[in-house]
Structures are given as C-alpha cells and as structure tokens.
Amino acid sequence: MEIARRAWERHALERPIVQVSVKPCRVFRDSSAATFRRRLRDRRFVSVERRGKMIIGRLDDGGGMLAHLGMTGKVIHREAGVESPDGTRATLRFAEGDALCFVSRRLFGRLWAAPLGVLHARSGWEELGPDPLLGPFDTELLAAALADRDAPVKNVLMDQRRLAGIGNIQAAEALWRARIHPGRPARTLSRVEVGQLRRGIIATIEYTLAQADVNEIRYLGEGHAPNPFRVYGRAGERCRRCKTEIVREVQGGRATFFCPGCQLRRVRPATGRAAPRRSKQRPRRA
DNA sequence: AACGGAACCTGAAAGC
DNA sequence: TGCTTTCAGGTTCCGT
C-alpha cells in the first residue's frame, strides 16, 4: 500500500484530472461509481496520505478519494496510449494523456469519493491502530497492542485496530525475524521478545519496500522474480538461520509459514546462569 | 468481548 | 485436453 501511495503521489499530485472512467462494481459499495466520477472530474489531488492499508487523496475542493486495494490491488501509472491493466476499476486521466489506474481484480478493494470529513468518519480510518511507519513506534506501543490478548500473536499483529498496515506476509516475516512462533498467545511475549518483534516489523517492512518495484508492484508469483521473503511461501525449504524445514500451517484461516527450529512456541528458557523463576506478578520497574 | 471459521470474488496453477 | 480442486499479500459477518 505504501508503494501504491507513492505512485499515486508521484504521478497525480497537483495535476487536474480531465477524465474519469469507472467500471461499476462492488468496489464502489460506499457510493456509486457515477458519484465517484462526478466528484473527481476536473479536480486535482493536493496530498496523498496512507494509514495502514487505507489511502486517502485529498482534493482541491475539500473532498477526498479513499482507496483500499484488498488482496491483489494495485495503483499503476500508465503512459498515454497504453491501456489500463486487467481488473482496473477506475482510471483517472490527465491532460497529457497518461493515467492512474486503480486495480482490484477480485473486487475486495474499495474506492470511495466523498467530502473529506465523511471519509474520515465513516471508513474506519479513525479506528485504525498506530502504523509502524508513521509516528513513534516503540516497544511500549507494541506491548500495549499485544497486551491482554489470548489470540495467536500473528492474528493480533494483523488486527488493524491494534496495529495498522501489517498483513499476512509481513506478520509471518516479522515473527521469523524475531524468532517467535506465530501461534504464541500474544500476552505471553516477554518484554525482550516484544523488543525483538518491534525490530522485526520495522526490518521486514523496510526490506519489502526496498525490494518492491518502484513503478509497478509485483505480487508473489507474478513475473519471474524470485520469492524475496524469508519464510513466506517457502514450506519445505530450509530455514536460512538453522536449516530446519519451514512449515506451512493454517492459522485463523490464513496460511502461516514459520521455522519450527528457531521460532519457539514457548518462552525461551534463560541461558547461562540460573534464571530465577518469575513470580506471577512481575515487579514493575520504578 | 474475544475467538475461529465461512463468505465474499476472480483467475491462475496444480491435480486428475 | 478438459474438468475439478486449491489457493491467493483482506475484511466482515456469524455463531459459539
């Protein structure tokens, strides 16, 4: 979604939209495709903001356009004369003939143009948790997001009201980097593990952004690019850290990949000198 | 309230 | 070859 936001900003900012083509479908479930057209024609974007997986482009007339791309969505720039890719639901064309295409082949995406206040109030934007890429993202914040949840830590990471922007791949990758088993109840992570997880989240997102094609995002399996991820999509391969075979399991209805060798299901036993047993109430630091 | 599972869609790839 | 099954980078609804 951050790649989509950057494409949107780079190609559309401050440029009048001279033509809007839409394909009426479920993507326009919040207001009609016709309304979408009317609100965007002859307008221009003055900013493009992302929070989690939602993007809002602010228009010069106080309106806005919200995009959520669902599972396999994209925002793609097309030069003049090049037709929009398969699954394009809206095309915003500029005076030079080039265009910005919003693709959501599976119709899980969402496109909505409305007054900015309406978008903010009724899209769920305000309910999103902190985004690791925006503002401060410290161990305290992550600990709060994971606190008091019995659900598997991977599921909690993907709960957009707790943390915004982490999806199935980034969750699996962050947990591998942090050496934490995806099935661990969120509340059982130690302070040290929360710190590892915080670094894992930041590292995997930065890595993924660095890998991504700047102009058009390629999803796993598209084109011939090799899988850039550490565990995602690598069932049966050896873990690059400990050489154990990576496993695929379904957790919360989603495919989960992890290394049973170095992602521990239980709290890591203390090493070295005898570790004192933790009492139920952990003493808080002053 | 929190949790797990099914449903919503389309299309590509694997299986038979 | 052609039909069937599986699977997919997300969210929401529904029953427990």
Side-chain angles (χ1 to χ4, degrees):
Chain A
M1 294 304 288
E2 175 59 18
I3 295 295
R5 190 200 67 79
R6 289 176 188 177
W8 186 340
E9 185 179 70
R10 178 176 331 113
H11 296 291
L13 208 61
E14 298 294 354
R15 301 181 67 197
I17 298 159
V18 299
Q19 185 193 49
V20 180
S21 334
V22 292
K23 195 165 180 65
C25 60
R26 255 182 65 80
V27 159
F28 299 99
R29 71 197 77 139
D30 297 286
S31 66
S32 71
T35 302
F36 182 88
R37 281 192 65 187
R38 177 172 53 76
R39 287 191 171 279
L40 285 170
R41 190 163 36 190
D42 299 325
R43 299 268 66 81
R44 58 193 166 81
F45 292 107
V46 297
S47 70
V48 185
E49 198 180 338
R50 181 189 61 79
R51 194 154 152 185
K53 298 171 190 168
M54 289 187 188
I55 309 178
I56 292 181
R58 196 156 58 86
L59 295 166
D60 58 349
D61 67 347
M65 170 185 157
L66 177 141
H68 190 299
L69 300 178
M71 285 261 253
T72 49
K74 301 179 179 188
V75 175
I76 294 173
H77 180 251
R78 283 282 124 108
E79 295 297 344
V82 181
E83 65 179 286
S84 302
D86 229 32
T88 297
R89 309 302 174 184
T91 301
L92 312 185
R93 200 162 294 282
F94 307 105
E96 286 73 14
D98 61 322
L100 203 63
C101 308
F102 291 80
V103 183
S104 178
R105 179 178 262 160
R106 288 173 71 187
L107 303 177
F108 286 156
R110 183 179 182 195
L111 296 176
W112 185 12
L116 209 53
V118 173
L119 293 183
H120 281 139
R122 296 219 286 247
S123 65
W125 177 271
E126 302 290 358
E127 285 75 47
L128 290 172
D131 185 312
L133 249 43
L134 311 169
F137 181 59
D138 54 22
T139 304
E140 198 67 43
L141 199 62
L142 181 56
L146 300 175
D148 303 327
R149 299 293 299 270
D150 288 319
V153 57
K154 174 162 174 281
N155 299 227
V156 178
L157 286 181
M158 291 192 291
D159 180 343
Q160 302 299 301
R161 286 171 313 186
R162 291 259 162 174
L163 286 178
I166 299 176
N168 199 33
I169 291 184
Q170 299 307 318
E173 295 291 294
L175 287 163
W176 180 85
R177 287 173 184 263
R179 305 182 189 231
I180 296 166
H181 191 289
R184 282 273 297 284
R187 69 187 327 154
T188 67
L189 295 217
S190 69
R191 197 68 178 181
V192 170
E193 287 176 312
V194 175
Q196 289 169 188
L197 188 51
R198 184 193 73 87
R199 290 197 303 277
I201 290 167
I202 293 168
T204 187
I205 293 174
E206 286 181 351
Y207 170 79
T208 303
L209 285 176
Q211 290 289 310
D213 188 316
V214 184
N215 292 312
E216 176 170 341
I217 194 159
R218 289 269 172 83
Y219 287 110
L220 208 53
E222 282 185 319
H224 307 95
N227 175 2
F229 301 114
R230 303 286 199 260
V231 284
Y232 189 89
R234 295 195 182 279
E237 295 179 38
R238 303 290 200 80
C239 171
R240 67 158 64 192
R241 253 187 335 233
C242 74
K243 311 302 174 201
T244 305
E245 259 195 28
I246 291 162
V247 165
R248 175 188 183 276
E249 272 179 18
V250 175
Q251 185 183 298
R254 310 299 303 280
T256 297
F257 298 85
F258 65 95
C259 170
C262 54
Q263 290 178 258
L264 301 186
R265 184 174 275 288
R266 296 158 54 110
V267 179
R268 188 181 310 277
T271 55
R273 282 185 293 135
R277 257 190 112 73
R278 288 250 181 245
S279 60
K280 267 190 181 164
Q281 302 187 35
R282 190 174 310 172
R284 289 216 160 267
R285 70 186 165 79

mmCIF file of all heavy atoms in Angstrom, chain A residues 139-173:
data_model
loop_
_atom_site.group_PDB
_atom_site.id
_atom_site.type_symbol
_atom_site.label_atom_id
_atom_site.label_comp_id
_atom_site.label_asym_id
_atom_site.label_seq_id
_atom_site.Cartn_x
_atom_site.Cartn_y
_atom_site.Cartn_z
ATOM 1 N N THR A 139 8.744 0.059 21.781
ATOM 2 C CA THR A 139 8.392 -1.219 22.398
ATOM 3 C C THR A 139 7.144 -1.078 23.262
ATOM 4 O O THR A 139 6.296 -1.979 23.312
ATOM 5 C CB THR A 139 9.581 -1.738 23.225
ATOM 6 O OG1 THR A 139 10.719 -1.825 22.371
ATOM 7 C CG2 THR A 139 9.296 -3.116 23.786
ATOM 8 N N GLU A 140 7.034 0.065 23.920
ATOM 9 C CA GLU A 140 5.874 0.349 24.773
ATOM 10 C C GLU A 140 4.569 0.246 23.973
ATOM 11 O O GLU A 140 3.586 -0.366 24.384
ATOM 12 C CB GLU A 140 6.018 1.766 25.341
ATOM 13 C CG GLU A 140 5.157 2.064 26.534
ATOM 14 C CD GLU A 140 5.578 1.242 27.745
ATOM 15 O OE1 GLU A 140 6.796 1.116 27.987
ATOM 16 O OE2 GLU A 140 4.677 0.707 28.405
ATOM 17 N N LEU A 141 4.591 0.852 22.798
ATOM 18 C CA LEU A 141 3.416 0.887 21.920
ATOM 19 C C LEU A 141 3.041 -0.520 21.455
ATOM 20 O O LEU A 141 1.868 -0.910 21.468
ATOM 21 C CB LEU A 141 3.740 1.766 20.705
ATOM 22 C CG LEU A 141 2.582 2.318 19.903
ATOM 23 C CD1 LEU A 141 1.737 3.233 20.762
ATOM 24 C CD2 LEU A 141 3.112 3.062 18.686
ATOM 25 N N LEU A 142 4.037 -1.282 21.064
ATOM 26 C CA LEU A 142 3.779 -2.647 20.594
ATOM 27 C C LEU A 142 3.287 -3.517 21.748
ATOM 28 O O LEU A 142 2.365 -4.322 21.587
ATOM 29 C CB LEU A 142 5.041 -3.240 19.965
ATOM 30 C CG LEU A 142 4.900 -4.668 19.414
ATOM 31 C CD1 LEU A 142 3.770 -4.761 18.397
ATOM 32 C CD2 LEU A 142 6.217 -5.130 18.795
ATOM 33 N N ALA A 143 3.885 -3.338 22.912
ATOM 34 C CA ALA A 143 3.467 -4.112 24.086
ATOM 35 C C ALA A 143 1.997 -3.834 24.389
ATOM 36 O O ALA A 143 1.224 -4.750 24.697
ATOM 37 C CB ALA A 143 4.346 -3.759 25.286
ATOM 38 N N ALA A 144 1.609 -2.590 24.255
ATOM 39 C CA ALA A 144 0.208 -2.221 24.517
ATOM 40 C C ALA A 144 -0.717 -2.892 23.510
ATOM 41 O O ALA A 144 -1.812 -3.339 23.845
ATOM 42 C CB ALA A 144 0.053 -0.699 24.467
ATOM 43 N N ALA A 145 -0.263 -2.957 22.258
ATOM 44 C CA ALA A 145 -1.090 -3.562 21.210
ATOM 45 C C ALA A 145 -1.283 -5.060 21.448
ATOM 46 O O ALA A 145 -2.314 -5.629 21.095
ATOM 47 C CB ALA A 145 -0.456 -3.320 19.838
ATOM 48 N N LEU A 146 -0.296 -5.698 22.045
ATOM 49 C CA LEU A 146 -0.350 -7.144 22.246
ATOM 50 C C LEU A 146 -0.943 -7.532 23.592
ATOM 51 O O LEU A 146 -1.268 -8.703 23.828
ATOM 52 C CB LEU A 146 1.061 -7.741 22.135
ATOM 53 C CG LEU A 146 1.787 -7.549 20.801
ATOM 54 C CD1 LEU A 146 3.204 -8.079 20.891
ATOM 55 C CD2 LEU A 146 1.038 -8.218 19.662
ATOM 56 N N ALA A 147 -1.074 -6.547 24.469
ATOM 57 C CA ALA A 147 -1.481 -6.841 25.844
ATOM 58 C C ALA A 147 -2.885 -7.432 25.911
ATOM 59 O O ALA A 147 -3.753 -7.115 25.098
ATOM 60 C CB ALA A 147 -1.417 -5.563 26.669
ATOM 61 N N ASP A 148 -3.071 -8.316 26.873
ATOM 62 C CA ASP A 148 -4.407 -8.835 27.196
ATOM 63 C C ASP A 148 -5.071 -9.584 26.065
ATOM 64 O O ASP A 148 -6.294 -9.632 25.999
ATOM 65 C CB ASP A 148 -5.331 -7.683 27.641
ATOM 66 C CG ASP A 148 -4.744 -6.935 28.813
ATOM 67 O OD1 ASP A 148 -4.072 -7.586 29.627
ATOM 68 O OD2 ASP A 148 -4.943 -5.710 28.898
ATOM 69 N N ARG A 149 -4.290 -10.148 25.183
ATOM 70 C CA ARG A 149 -4.911 -10.936 24.122
ATOM 71 C C ARG A 149 -4.418 -12.371 24.187
ATOM 72 O O ARG A 149 -3.220 -12.621 24.220
ATOM 73 C CB ARG A 149 -4.568 -10.337 22.736
ATOM 74 C CG ARG A 149 -5.074 -8.914 22.545
ATOM 75 C CD ARG A 149 -6.598 -8.841 22.515
ATOM 76 N NE ARG A 149 -7.146 -9.601 21.425
ATOM 77 C CZ ARG A 149 -7.375 -9.099 20.211
ATOM 78 N NH1 ARG A 149 -7.126 -7.856 19.954
ATOM 79 N NH2 ARG A 149 -7.881 -9.868 19.278
ATOM 80 N N ASP A 150 -5.377 -13.285 24.180
ATOM 81 C CA ASP A 150 -5.040 -14.708 24.178
ATOM 82 C C ASP A 150 -4.851 -15.226 22.762
ATOM 83 O O ASP A 150 -4.315 -16.307 22.552
ATOM 84 C CB ASP A 150 -6.151 -15.517 24.858
ATOM 85 C CG ASP A 150 -6.155 -15.294 26.365
ATOM 86 O OD1 ASP A 150 -5.058 -15.239 26.942
ATOM 87 O OD2 ASP A 150 -7.240 -15.162 26.946
ATOM 88 N N ALA A 151 -5.329 -14.482 21.788
ATOM 89 C CA ALA A 151 -5.240 -14.922 20.388
ATOM 90 C C ALA A 151 -3.764 -15.045 19.986
ATOM 91 O O ALA A 151 -2.901 -14.389 20.568
ATOM 92 C CB ALA A 151 -5.957 -13.923 19.497
ATOM 93 N N PRO A 152 -3.484 -15.863 18.975
ATOM 94 C CA PRO A 152 -2.111 -16.003 18.493
ATOM 95 C C PRO A 152 -1.528 -14.642 18.107
ATOM 96 O O PRO A 152 -2.225 -13.798 17.533
ATOM 97 C CB PRO A 152 -2.253 -16.888 17.262
ATOM 98 C CG PRO A 152 -3.505 -17.660 17.477
ATOM 99 C CD PRO A 152 -4.405 -16.758 18.247
ATOM 100 N N VAL A 153 -0.268 -14.451 18.430
ATOM 101 C CA VAL A 153 0.373 -13.153 18.205
ATOM 102 C C VAL A 153 0.263 -12.728 16.738
ATOM 103 O O VAL A 153 0.076 -11.545 16.434
ATOM 104 C CB VAL A 153 1.854 -13.179 18.674
ATOM 105 C CG1 VAL A 153 2.640 -14.285 17.983
ATOM 106 C CG2 VAL A 153 2.518 -11.846 18.465
ATOM 107 N N LYS A 154 0.325 -13.677 15.805
ATOM 108 C CA LYS A 154 0.247 -13.307 14.388
ATOM 109 C C LYS A 154 -1.107 -12.681 14.073
ATOM 110 O O LYS A 154 -1.190 -11.690 13.347
ATOM 111 C CB LYS A 154 0.491 -14.527 13.510
ATOM 112 C CG LYS A 154 0.280 -14.264 12.027
ATOM 113 C CD LYS A 154 0.927 -15.324 11.172
ATOM 114 C CE LYS A 154 0.592 -15.143 9.703
ATOM 115 N NZ LYS A 154 -0.750 -15.654 9.380
ATOM 116 N N ASN A 155 -2.174 -13.267 14.618
ATOM 117 C CA ASN A 155 -3.518 -12.728 14.395
ATOM 118 C C ASN A 155 -3.656 -11.328 14.974
ATOM 119 O O ASN A 155 -4.279 -10.456 14.369
ATOM 120 C CB ASN A 155 -4.580 -13.643 15.008
ATOM 121 C CG ASN A 155 -4.563 -15.039 14.404
ATOM 122 O OD1 ASN A 155 -5.588 -15.587 14.050
ATOM 123 N ND2 ASN A 155 -3.382 -15.617 14.267
ATOM 124 N N VAL A 156 -3.065 -11.110 16.132
ATOM 125 C CA VAL A 156 -3.165 -9.788 16.755
ATOM 126 C C VAL A 156 -2.385 -8.761 15.940
ATOM 127 O O VAL A 156 -2.825 -7.628 15.765
ATOM 128 C CB VAL A 156 -2.679 -9.842 18.227
ATOM 129 C CG1 VAL A 156 -2.724 -8.461 18.860
ATOM 130 C CG2 VAL A 156 -3.537 -10.823 19.031
ATOM 131 N N LEU A 157 -1.237 -9.166 15.418
ATOM 132 C CA LEU A 157 -0.448 -8.249 14.574
ATOM 133 C C LEU A 157 -1.264 -7.780 13.369
ATOM 134 O O LEU A 157 -1.109 -6.665 12.888
ATOM 135 C CB LEU A 157 0.822 -8.936 14.056
ATOM 136 C CG LEU A 157 1.960 -9.169 15.042
ATOM 137 C CD1 LEU A 157 3.126 -9.844 14.326
ATOM 138 C CD2 LEU A 157 2.420 -7.858 15.657
ATOM 139 N N MET A 158 -2.135 -8.670 12.877
ATOM 140 C CA MET A 158 -2.907 -8.341 11.675
ATOM 141 C C MET A 158 -4.221 -7.629 11.994
ATOM 142 O O MET A 158 -4.944 -7.247 11.087
ATOM 143 C CB MET A 158 -3.182 -9.615 10.871
ATOM 144 C CG MET A 158 -1.938 -10.190 10.243
ATOM 145 S SD MET A 158 -2.294 -11.476 9.031
ATOM 146 C CE MET A 158 -2.887 -12.777 10.059
ATOM 147 N N ASP A 159 -4.533 -7.478 13.285
ATOM 148 C CA ASP A 159 -5.753 -6.759 13.683
ATOM 149 C C ASP A 159 -5.522 -5.268 13.463
ATOM 150 O O ASP A 159 -4.773 -4.624 14.198
ATOM 151 C CB ASP A 159 -6.053 -7.068 15.153
ATOM 152 C CG ASP A 159 -7.313 -6.357 15.642
ATOM 153 O OD1 ASP A 159 -7.771 -5.396 14.984
ATOM 154 O OD2 ASP A 159 -7.828 -6.762 16.697
ATOM 155 N N GLN A 160 -6.187 -4.719 12.461
ATOM 156 C CA GLN A 160 -5.905 -3.347 12.040
ATOM 157 C C GLN A 160 -6.272 -2.288 13.075
ATOM 158 O O GLN A 160 -5.808 -1.165 12.996
ATOM 159 C CB GLN A 160 -6.607 -3.042 10.705
ATOM 160 C CG GLN A 160 -6.188 -3.989 9.576
ATOM 161 C CD GLN A 160 -4.706 -3.908 9.268
ATOM 162 O OE1 GLN A 160 -4.196 -2.850 8.914
ATOM 163 N NE2 GLN A 160 -3.985 -5.025 9.405
ATOM 164 N N ARG A 161 -7.093 -2.665 14.049
ATOM 165 C CA ARG A 161 -7.417 -1.698 15.103
ATOM 166 C C ARG A 161 -6.358 -1.675 16.192
ATOM 167 O O ARG A 161 -6.277 -0.748 16.983
ATOM 168 C CB ARG A 161 -8.796 -2.000 15.694
ATOM 169 C CG ARG A 161 -9.922 -1.602 14.740
ATOM 170 C CD ARG A 161 -11.244 -2.106 15.239
ATOM 171 N NE ARG A 161 -11.136 -3.511 15.632
ATOM 172 C CZ ARG A 161 -12.166 -4.264 16.004
ATOM 173 N NH1 ARG A 161 -13.366 -3.746 16.029
ATOM 174 N NH2 ARG A 161 -11.996 -5.518 16.333
ATOM 175 N N ARG A 162 -5.540 -2.716 16.229
ATOM 176 C CA ARG A 162 -4.437 -2.767 17.196
ATOM 177 C C ARG A 162 -3.192 -2.135 16.595
ATOM 178 O O ARG A 162 -2.510 -1.326 17.202
ATOM 179 C CB ARG A 162 -4.154 -4.211 17.578
ATOM 180 C CG ARG A 162 -5.259 -4.835 18.398
ATOM 181 C CD ARG A 162 -4.853 -4.826 19.845
ATOM 182 N NE ARG A 162 -6.007 -5.002 20.720
ATOM 183 C CZ ARG A 162 -5.911 -5.137 22.034
ATOM 184 N NH1 ARG A 162 -4.722 -5.113 22.610
ATOM 185 N NH2 ARG A 162 -6.974 -5.271 22.775
ATOM 186 N N LEU A 163 -2.855 -2.589 15.373
ATOM 187 C CA LEU A 163 -1.737 -2.036 14.608
ATOM 188 C C LEU A 163 -2.241 -1.930 13.184
ATOM 189 O O LEU A 163 -2.924 -2.827 12.708
ATOM 190 C CB LEU A 163 -0.535 -2.974 14.624
ATOM 191 C CG LEU A 163 0.291 -3.100 15.890
ATOM 192 C CD1 LEU A 163 1.393 -4.129 15.679
ATOM 193 C CD2 LEU A 163 0.903 -1.760 16.271
ATOM 194 N N ALA A 164 -1.878 -0.874 12.491
ATOM 195 C CA ALA A 164 -2.393 -0.704 11.129
ATOM 196 C C ALA A 164 -1.305 -0.966 10.100
ATOM 197 O O ALA A 164 -0.196 -0.457 10.219
ATOM 198 C CB ALA A 164 -2.953 0.702 10.956
ATOM 199 N N GLY A 165 -1.621 -1.793 9.133
ATOM 200 C CA GLY A 165 -0.742 -1.951 7.984
ATOM 201 C C GLY A 165 -0.061 -3.299 7.863
ATOM 202 O O GLY A 165 0.510 -3.607 6.824
ATOM 203 N N ILE A 166 -0.101 -4.119 8.914
ATOM 204 C CA ILE A 166 0.574 -5.415 8.851
ATOM 205 C C ILE A 166 -0.381 -6.468 8.315
ATOM 206 O O ILE A 166 -1.450 -6.677 8.867
ATOM 207 C CB ILE A 166 1.105 -5.823 10.231
ATOM 208 C CG1 ILE A 166 2.112 -4.786 10.723
ATOM 209 C CG2 ILE A 166 1.741 -7.214 10.158
ATOM 210 C CD1 ILE A 166 2.616 -5.038 12.114
ATOM 211 N N GLY A 167 0.004 -7.112 7.229
ATOM 212 C CA GLY A 167 -0.805 -8.158 6.621
ATOM 213 C C GLY A 167 -0.175 -9.518 6.821
ATOM 214 O O GLY A 167 0.775 -9.677 7.593
ATOM 215 N N ASN A 168 -0.680 -10.492 6.112
ATOM 216 C CA ASN A 168 -0.278 -11.886 6.315
ATOM 217 C C ASN A 168 1.219 -12.110 6.084
ATOM 218 O O ASN A 168 1.866 -12.791 6.860
ATOM 219 C CB ASN A 168 -1.106 -12.781 5.384
ATOM 220 C CG ASN A 168 -1.099 -14.221 5.844
ATOM 221 O OD1 ASN A 168 -1.049 -14.507 7.046
ATOM 222 N ND2 ASN A 168 -1.117 -15.127 4.899
ATOM 223 N N ILE A 169 1.750 -11.521 5.038
ATOM 224 C CA ILE A 169 3.172 -11.758 4.752
ATOM 225 C C ILE A 169 4.060 -11.058 5.762
ATOM 226 O O ILE A 169 4.960 -11.661 6.341
ATOM 227 C CB ILE A 169 3.536 -11.279 3.328
ATOM 228 C CG1 ILE A 169 2.871 -12.188 2.301
ATOM 229 C CG2 ILE A 169 5.048 -11.262 3.135
ATOM 230 C CD1 ILE A 169 3.235 -11.869 0.872
ATOM 231 N N GLN A 170 3.786 -9.776 6.005
ATOM 232 C CA GLN A 170 4.651 -9.023 6.915
ATOM 233 C C GLN A 170 4.602 -9.598 8.328
ATOM 234 O O GLN A 170 5.612 -9.608 9.038
ATOM 235 C CB GLN A 170 4.284 -7.537 6.912
ATOM 236 C CG GLN A 170 4.442 -6.856 5.548
ATOM 237 C CD GLN A 170 5.807 -7.044 4.933
ATOM 238 O OE1 GLN A 170 6.831 -6.952 5.608
ATOM 239 N NE2 GLN A 170 5.854 -7.345 3.645
ATOM 240 N N ALA A 171 3.434 -10.109 8.724
ATOM 241 C CA ALA A 171 3.318 -10.715 10.049
ATOM 242 C C ALA A 171 4.207 -11.955 10.130
ATOM 243 O O ALA A 171 4.978 -12.119 11.089
ATOM 244 C CB ALA A 171 1.861 -11.073 10.341
ATOM 245 N N ALA A 172 4.121 -12.821 9.125
ATOM 246 C CA ALA A 172 4.935 -14.039 9.129
ATOM 247 C C ALA A 172 6.420 -13.697 9.119
ATOM 248 O O ALA A 172 7.217 -14.306 9.852
ATOM 249 C CB ALA A 172 4.576 -14.903 7.920
ATOM 250 N N GLU A 173 6.793 -12.734 8.303
ATOM 251 C CA GLU A 173 8.198 -12.356 8.180
ATOM 252 C C GLU A 173 8.744 -11.711 9.446
ATOM 253 O O GLU A 173 9.860 -12.003 9.873
ATOM 254 C CB GLU A 173 8.372 -11.413 6.992
ATOM 255 C CG GLU A 173 8.081 -12.039 5.635
ATOM 256 C CD GLU A 173 9.121 -13.075 5.246
ATOM 257 O OE1 GLU A 173 10.289 -12.697 5.038
ATOM 258 O OE2 GLU A 173 8.753 -14.267 5.162
#
